Amino acid sequence: MQSSPLVSAVIPVYNGERYLAEAIESVLAQDYRPVELIVVDDGSTDGSGDIARSYPLVRYIRQTNRGVSVARNAGIAAGRGEFIAFLDADDVWTPDKLTVQMEYLLTHPEVGFSFARQRFLFEQGIGAPPWFPQELLARDHVGFMPSTLVVRKAVFERAGGFDTALRRGEDTEWLLRAGDCGIQMGIVQETLLLRRVHSGNVSLMKPPDYRLLLSLLKQSIDRRKERGND
Amino acid sequence: MTSQTLQSGEPAGGWPLVSVIIAVYNGDRFLSSALDSIFAQDYHPLEAIVVDDGSTDDTTDVARSYPAVRYIYQANQGVAAARNKGIAAARGDFIAFQDADDLWVPGKLAIQVGHLLAHPEVDGTIGMWHNFADGAPPSEDTAAGPDRVGLVTLVARREVYDRVGSYDPAYRVGSDMDWFSRARDAGVNILMLPDILLYRRIHNGNLSRQIDARAASMLRMFRASVERKRQKLT
């Protein structure tokens, strides 16, 4: 009998009491084993900590509020798994999410991390903001964001963790940096995430910060140039 | 009989009867291989109950061609209602489930019933399953992907259903996830075994891959589970 490698699921949360329990339940309902679940409480002042600690299977880590990058990095550091998977506290995994992505990573040893498709889930009374791309609403699409990301832990040793100086765009920055290190990305075509759109959703309800994205791209190009000059 | 069962030896009243419930809707293509894998079990005695959920194909004929099968028909009401009907009709001390497109390993019941007999404090056991592509003969070598925990592998004591209740027919898919969540909240002791107990056939019609129905069921199930915990706390 083969035994599958341990996956550390990391949920960073800041004042996410409204949806956190559903996110935790969706990890506990995974049909993949073995999984450990780490909730990193980024200094919440609501009931997030109580909710996380009410689940005996959750490893609970608390930090003073230092942002989602520090929280995710703390989860990576605490993770005992060979693989790290992330879930935001307002999103929900499908029960086969880890099985499908792990199957992919185990059969593609050259790939360092994988993304999957996601579907938007609109909370009652919440419509899409006007700038929202219609094609993303119409069908399931690849979500290049932490909740669909499963990574070999060794990748973080090569590429580093999330940039703690950034409060937005930290996932894009990491993705570019990992690519610049020559780490290969894989995409799983199945829909494995329900991504919730609600009034408190920071990254979805604000228009993209194009100035930030451009500066991240510029950094990436500079890194590649430097590497080319070596 | 595998070593697991023999550990405890034959109980005083003889080996207990296991009722195997196969809820099926239009499963004529694979039903006979599923039934064959039940009747090929090392463990006996068992009864196989096919609950036909209003099939419009040849499911009836396939099921009836097995004299040992107890056949029950219902108008199409979904898998939860079909399983409930099977549980109500079951005569066994233990209840097991089989999906019409899956195959059991020959030692499945011996392993699981063996654990239940040896551990009176355990209410039910589940184990792992492997995918296999329709067409390829299933084996450890042809299995695709990692082992997965399979809720459908559940073998439980009959009285567990008195404690937890039946499957909720309001779920078109995911009624077993809801049941397990309720069982956990009711303090039911389910033992997870590392053994591979079944092979799941992957084909185009798999009900559980229908994302639209699944998404709604999942959220409903998670919400219900959270609500139960909230009520327990207050």
Side-chain angles (χ1 to χ4, degrees):
Chain A
M1 195 176 316
Q2 81 191 71
S3 75
S4 305
L6 177 66
V7 177
S8 301
V10 175
I11 302 180
V13 60
Y14 174 69
N15 289 349
E17 65 178 4
R18 191 152 165 220
Y19 303 116
L20 175 62
E22 287 177 39
I24 290 173
E25 297 266 340
S26 82
V27 175
L28 299 180
Q30 289 298 301
D31 63 11
Y32 181 91
R33 292 285 189 286
V35 179
E36 67 168 0
L37 173 53
I38 301 167
V39 172
V40 186
D41 183 350
D42 186 25
S44 297
T45 52
D46 68 354
S48 295
D50 292 334
I51 290 168
R53 279 176 300 187
S54 74
Y55 288 87
L57 289 173
V58 165
R59 287 177 62 196
Y60 176 74
I61 298 173
R62 188 178 164 86
Q63 62 181 31
T64 52
N65 181 245
R66 286 189 286 160
V68 69
S69 293
V70 178
R72 284 202 193 100
N73 291 343
I76 297 165
R80 303 181 186 121
E82 196 183 320
F83 292 82
I84 308 275
F86 299 97
L87 177 61
D88 287 345
D90 43 8
D91 295 337
V92 169
W93 283 348
T94 65
D96 54 353
K97 133 102 186 175
L98 287 181
T99 303
V100 172
Q101 277 185 273
M102 286 301 292
E103 175 174 355
Y104 178 81
L105 287 168
L106 292 173
T107 51
H108 295 82
E110 74 284 3
V111 170
F113 56 95
S114 76
F115 290 104
R117 286 183 184 269
Q118 64 180 12
R119 169 170 300 193
F120 282 120
L121 174 71
F122 287 89
E123 278 304 294
Q124 218 157 20
I126 298 293
W131 48 265
F132 215 86
Q134 284 304 307
E135 66 270 20
L136 295 188
L137 300 177
R139 66 177 71 90
D140 298 353
H141 53 279
V142 178
F144 293 100
M145 43 94 65
S147 287
T148 62
L149 178 62
V150 181
V151 193
R152 292 177 204 279
K153 187 166 177 172
V155 164
F156 290 109
E157 286 149 28
R158 259 175 83 192
F162 292 94
D163 185 341
T164 55
L166 294 172
R167 292 256 164 169
R168 283 190 81 185
E170 79 292 338
D171 45 357
T172 309
E173 194 279 335
W174 183 86
L175 180 58
L176 291 168
R177 181 151 39 89
D180 296 344
C181 294
I183 295 162
Q184 201 176 321
M185 172 179 84
I187 288 171
V188 168
Q189 293 298 344
E190 287 183 63
T191 300
L192 302 175
L193 177 76
L194 300 183
R195 188 170 185 206
R196 198 185 311 259
V197 185
H198 57 97
S199 53
N201 197 310
V202 186
S203 59
L204 284 175
M205 296 314 274
K206 278 193 207 162
D209 184 342
Y210 292 112
R211 191 184 295 270
L212 172 66
L213 291 176
L214 280 174
S215 79
L216 295 178
L217 277 172
K218 169 106 178 30
Q219 282 173 21
S220 171
I221 291 164
D222 290 345
R223 271 196 303 268
R224 285 184 181 239
K225 270 189 190 154
E226 240 172 71
R227 224 176 44 169
N229 291 340
D230 283 346
Chain B
M1 206 75 38
T2 70
S3 56
Q4 290 286 3
T5 317
L6 292 174
Q7 271 176 16
S8 49
E10 182 165 351
W15 297 107
L17 177 67
V18 179
S19 298
V20 185
I21 294 158
I22 307 106
V24 55
Y25 174 70
N26 286 351
D28 63 356
R29 217 174 127 202
F30 307 120
L31 179 60
S32 62
S33 38
L35 289 172
D36 290 343
S37 80
I38 291 172
F39 290 117
Q41 286 295 297
D42 299 337
Y43 183 90
H44 284 285
L46 58 83
E47 62 169 2
I49 303 170
V50 170
V51 185
D52 182 350
D53 186 26
S55 297
T56 54
D57 66 355
D58 292 331
T59 293
T60 313
D61 297 335
V62 175
R64 285 196 187 282
S65 71
Y66 288 78
V69 162
R70 292 177 59 197
Y71 176 80
I72 298 171
Y73 180 87
Q74 68 173 23
N76 184 248
Q77 296 166 56
V79 63
R83 282 182 170 189
N84 292 339
K85 199 157 269 184
I87 295 167
R91 303 185 186 118
D93 302 310
F94 298 102
I95 308 277
F97 299 100
Q98 163 76 307
D99 281 347
D101 40 14
D102 297 342
L103 300 175
W104 280 6
V105 303
K108 179 180 186 292
L109 285 184
I111 291 168
Q112 292 184 271
V113 174
H115 276 282
L116 288 166
L117 291 175
H119 302 282
E121 76 284 4
V122 172
D123 299 310
T125 64
I126 58 172
M128 314 299 279
W129 55 276
H130 259 317
N131 280 342
F132 76 98
D134 184 19
S139 76
E140 290 267 350
D141 302 328
T142 59
D147 307 346
R148 312 164 72 145
V149 180
L151 303 185
V152 71
T153 61
L154 177 69
V155 178
R157 298 179 199 280
R158 196 199 161 91
E159 54 270 24
V160 169
Y161 290 92
D162 301 330
R163 281 166 66 192
V164 180
S166 50
Y167 291 91
D168 184 347
Y171 291 91
R172 205 171 92 69
V173 297
S175 59
D176 50 356
M177 270 176 68
D178 170 69
W179 189 91
F180 271 85
S181 170
R182 277 157 47 208
R184 193 174 57 199
D185 291 344
V188 168
N189 184 9
I190 307 269
L191 177 69
M192 207 171 79
L193 303 171
D195 308 69
I196 293 165
L197 300 173
L198 74 77
Y199 290 99
R200 167 150 287 196
R201 190 189 310 266
I202 298 305
H203 56 94
N204 290 335
N206 284 123
L207 186 63
S208 54
R209 281 281 353 140
Q210 294 170 10
I211 180 79
D212 283 314
R214 282 194 336 150
S217 291
M218 274 165 43
L219 286 171
R220 189 193 165 118
M221 198 275 291
F222 295 144
R223 268 171 204 162
S225 175
V226 171
E227 187 52 36
R228 274 196 303 278
K229 290 181 180 78
R230 195 166 282 151
Q231 281 175 0
K232 219 190 249 179
L233 289 175
T234 52

